[in-house]
């Protein structure tokens, strides 16, 4: 009798183990790949689990490797970003009457492969020598015409594809006229900015600095195949290419107005700030960032962060307590730019006047984020404090 009880207990225990194993299998059933494909089901639960976990680990490793490769594209030392954003290493008290920017300023890039793959405006890829350093300097008159095509390509009119030949010719003509007028406006506006910057930084000038447009230049060594690689006495030649621009100016703190294309005198900006601004705390012009542009073939390398850090450093030298800007509010076209500014500590300036009704179509993430309608275009108005005490909060 005791023997039969022992056998029954063993059988019951075996059934419990089998049932438990089946439950464990169901916990992973059906075992699927991350992209939705069903994995091969083994007869043993442990085999299926191992295949699933191995595939998951491989996918996560690939994602981590891809993220590391994306981060490694930026060869700009972080200490350079900090140095620029803190006023180029100068305090406000010392050297107040001198040129506080100390431009041109050189940034040595970290080591990388001697070549890089870049995309041409036509969409083709080509191998080029990698830049060895970056150069920050003022925009000069001779730089305006070479950079004009890139500015028109980014901010000018787009060609709209049409079906009929007649309407296509009309659209092409309208696009050409619009881009011609835009190019003329850019030429005149940038020329005025160069002249205004020179007046502000001139020795003995009583005019405060304003409309400072800076250029980011890639300095690339030239490979001379005719020279012997072992000949160390041959001097190395370099080429310089502008890959980005950005501007800092004094502007009235009005969220509903963008920076004008032409230069206004400071007294006019001060008058507009006092008359049109309802905020009693903002009755004077503020530092304003505009025309931030990195060439399309150089995006993803951290160049926009360098330009923004330089502008923040210039603003500190000008004595700005904060810095402001407009950015595209569209969820798609403005996503990258908004991500950059938010990562740098910029915050929305909410509307203190009328309620913002009618912007629901832009998505819930845009609600209460400083959304304004500027010349018929929805933009976000952002602000960043340059006071050390506010930055630490």
């Amino acid at each position: 009798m005791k023997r039969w009880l022992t056998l029954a207990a063993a059988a019951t225990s075996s059934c419990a183990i089998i049932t438990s194993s089946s439950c464990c299998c169901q916990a992973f059933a059906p075992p699927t790949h991350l992209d939705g494909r069903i994995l091969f089901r083994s007869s043993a639960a442990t085999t299926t689990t191992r295949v699933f976990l191995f595939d998951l680990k491989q996918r996560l490793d690939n994602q981590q490797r891809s993220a590391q490769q994306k981060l490694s594209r930026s060869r700009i030392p972080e200490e350079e970003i900090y140095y620029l954003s803190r006023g180029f290493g100068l305090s406000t008290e010392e050297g107040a009457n001198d040129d506080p920017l100390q431009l041109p300023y050189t940034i040595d890039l970290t080591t990388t492969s001697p070549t890089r793959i870049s995309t041409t405006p036509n969409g083709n890829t080509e191998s080029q020598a990698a830049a060895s350093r970056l150069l920050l300097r003022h925009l000069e008159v001779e730089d305006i015409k070479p950079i004009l095509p890139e500015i028109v390509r980014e901010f000018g009119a787009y060609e709209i594809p049409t079906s009929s030949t007649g309407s296509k010719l009309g659209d092409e003509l309208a696009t050409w006229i619009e881009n011609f007028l835009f190019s003329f406006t850019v030429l005149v506006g940038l020329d005025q900015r160069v002249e205004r910057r020179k007046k502000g930084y001139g020795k003995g000038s009583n005019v405060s600095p304003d409309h400072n447009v800076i250029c980011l230049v890639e300095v690339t060594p030239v490979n001379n195949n005719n020279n012997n690689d072992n000949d160390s006495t041959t001097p190395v030649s370099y080429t310089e290419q502008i890959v980005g621009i950005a501007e800092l100016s004094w502007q009235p703190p009005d969220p509903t107005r963008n920076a004008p294309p032409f230069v206004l005198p400071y007294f006019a900006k001060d008058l507009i700030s006092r008359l049109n601004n309802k905020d009693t705390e903002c009755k004077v012009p503020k530092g304003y960032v505009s025309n931030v542009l990195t060439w399309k073939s150089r995006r993803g390398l951290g160049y926009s962060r360098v330009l923004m850090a330089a502008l923040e450093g210039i603003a500190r030298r000008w004595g700005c307590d904060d810095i402001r800007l407009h950015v595209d509010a569209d969820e798609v076209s403005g996503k990258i730019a908004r991500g950059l500014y938010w990562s740098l500590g910029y915050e929305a300036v909410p509307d203190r006047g009328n309620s913002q009704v009618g912007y629901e179509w832009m998505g819930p993430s845009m609600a209460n984020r400083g959304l304004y309608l500027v010349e018929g275009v929805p933009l976000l108005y952002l602000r960043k404090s340059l006071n050390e005490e506010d930055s630490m909060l």
Side-chain angles (χ1 to χ4, degrees):
M1 182 66 179
K2 185 177 297 185
R3 179 182 179 185
W4 284 105
L5 291 175
T6 304
L7 293 176
T12 304
S13 174
S14 299
C15 291
I17 293 175
I18 294 174
T19 304
S20 176
S21 299
S22 300
C23 292
C24 290
C25 261
Q26 290 298 324
F28 292 94
T32 56
H33 198 275
L34 292 181
D35 58 6
R37 293 184 289 105
I38 299 179
L39 292 174
F40 173 76
R41 180 185 292 279
S42 175
S43 58
T46 55
T47 304
T48 303
T49 304
R50 288 173 182 172
V51 172
F52 177 77
L53 293 179
F54 175 78
D55 186 81
L56 177 62
K57 181 178 182 300
Q58 190 176 25
R59 177 62 66 89
L60 293 177
D61 289 343
N62 292 336
Q63 293 177 353
Q64 184 178 10
R65 190 180 301 109
S66 177
Q68 291 176 351
Q69 291 175 354
K70 185 176 181 180
L71 290 175
S72 63
R73 295 187 64 193
S74 178
R75 301 160 50 207
I76 304 166
E78 287 296 327
E79 56 269 20
E80 295 285 2
I81 301 292
Y82 181 84
Y83 178 83
L84 292 174
S85 63
R86 290 303 183 271
F88 293 75
L90 298 176
S91 63
T92 307
E93 291 78 12
E94 55 180 307
N97 296 325
D98 301 331
D99 184 355
L101 307 182
Q102 295 190 352
L103 296 181
Y105 180 78
T106 303
I107 300 176
D108 293 324
L109 301 178
T110 57
T111 57
T112 185
S113 59
T115 60
R116 65 151 184 262
I117 304 298
S118 61
T119 304
T120 62
N122 298 329
N124 302 324
T125 58
E126 60 181 9
S127 178
Q128 298 178 347
S132 61
R133 60 179 180 265
L134 298 176
L135 190 67
L136 276 169
R137 62 174 176 83
H138 297 294
L139 177 73
E140 302 296 344
V141 175
E142 57 269 19
D143 300 324
I144 299 178
K145 288 186 178 180
I147 68 175
L148 185 61
E150 194 71 30
I151 298 176
V152 174
R153 189 181 299 114
E154 182 68 21
F155 301 118
Y158 295 96
E159 295 185 1
I160 303 175
T162 56
S163 56
S164 61
T165 305
S167 59
K168 182 178 180 180
L169 294 176
D171 291 336
E172 290 180 352
L173 179 60
T175 301
W176 182 88
I177 294 175
E178 185 175 349
N179 284 333
F180 174 79
L181 296 177
F182 177 75
S183 301
F184 178 77
T185 302
V186 172
L187 283 173
V188 176
L190 289 180
D191 186 77
Q192 289 181 345
R193 282 160 171 77
V194 172
E195 294 300 323
R196 180 62 181 83
R197 184 260 304 170
K198 292 181 179 179
K199 291 181 180 179
Y201 288 114
K203 293 184 177 180
S205 175
N206 296 326
V207 182
S208 61
D210 197 357
H211 288 284
N212 194 347
V213 182
I214 59 174
C215 298
L216 186 63
V217 182
E218 276 187 346
V219 182
T220 306
V222 177
N223 295 326
N224 192 352
N225 297 327
N226 297 328
N227 294 335
N228 188 0
D229 295 337
N230 297 326
D231 188 5
S232 59
T233 60
T234 303
V236 180
S237 57
Y238 295 88
T239 60
E240 295 185 359
Q241 180 183 1
I242 298 178
V243 294
I245 60 171
E247 179 184 358
L248 178 72
S249 62
W250 294 104
Q251 296 295 336
D254 188 354
T256 62
R257 295 180 183 272
N258 214 331
F262 303 111
V263 174
L264 295 178
Y266 184 84
F267 75 87
K269 300 177 184 179
D270 185 66
L271 183 61
I272 295 174
S273 301
R274 297 178 184 276
L275 296 180
N276 293 348
N277 199 347
K278 298 179 181 179
D279 191 353
T280 57
E281 297 179 358
C282 297
K283 290 291 187 180
V284 294
K286 297 287 185 178
Y288 183 82
V289 174
S290 60
N291 300 323
V292 180
L293 176 60
T294 300
W295 285 198
K296 189 174 182 179
S297 61
R298 299 299 191 272
R299 292 174 186 175
L301 302 177
Y303 289 174
S304 296
R305 295 184 64 224
V306 176
L307 290 170
M308 290 301 299
L311 294 185
E312 292 177 8
I314 296 173
R316 292 178 187 274
R317 298 302 309 174
W318 286 6
C320 299
D321 55 354
D322 63 11
I323 189 171
R324 308 186 179 208
L325 56 86
H326 282 98
V327 63
D328 186 4
D330 188 85
E331 286 280 13
V332 179
S333 60
K335 182 179 180 180
I336 297 178
R338 290 197 311 271
L340 168 67
Y341 298 138
W342 284 337
S343 67
L344 296 177
Y346 286 82
E347 299 177 349
V349 179
D351 188 3
R352 299 181 181 179
N354 300 327
S355 60
Q356 302 174 17
V357 180
Y359 297 133
E360 292 79 5
W361 60 274
M362 303 195 65
S365 62
M366 292 294 102
N368 299 324
R369 290 195 175 182
L371 186 61
Y372 297 87
L373 202 61
V374 182
E375 298 178 0
V377 180
L379 301 177
L380 296 182
Y381 190 58
L382 306 182
R383 170 189 177 273
K384 180 179 180 180
S385 175
L386 299 182
N387 294 327
E388 297 294 338
E389 296 78 6
D390 296 341
S391 302
M392 297 177 62
L393 296 178

